[in-house]
Amino acid sequence: MFKSANVGPTDRIIRLIVGAILIALPYVYTSPIWANGAVRWGVPAVGLVLVLTALVRFCPAYRLFGTSTCKAK
């Protein structure tokens, strides 16, 4: 999909786990903090971005800063 991947395997696993937790958090953990709409929708949105970047193995922020967690080929 993208010319070069810049998210390595360990980074992918961490992104998938943290992303899944952030997506599920408002539904699993009941707290008054979820009453704020920005938090209720913002936390799962961040989780979705993490999951998507893990699935496509490309992070635009890594490209912007010129970094990569992939091993050199």
Side-chain angles (χ1 to χ4, degrees), residues 5-7 11 15 58-70:
N6 62 6
V7 176
D11 194 5
R15 286 172 183 260
F58 177 79
C59 178
Y62 280 5
R63 174 67 56 96
L64 180 66
F65 294 114
T67 187
S68 175
T69 57
C70 285

Side-chain angles (χ1 to χ4, degrees), residues 29-62:
Y29 179 67
T30 57
S31 172
I33 194 168
W34 304 120
N36 183 345
V39 174
R40 184 184 319 133
W41 295 105
V43 170
V46 171
L48 183 63
V49 168
L50 289 174
V51 169
L52 288 175
T53 57
L55 292 177
V56 298
R57 297 182 59 203
F58 177 79
C59 178
Y62 280 5

Side-chain angles (χ1 to χ4, degrees), residues 9-23:
T10 306
D11 194 5
R12 284 181 76 187
I13 292 169
I14 293 169
R15 286 172 183 260
L16 283 171
I17 292 170
V18 172
I21 290 170
L22 290 177
I23 291 170

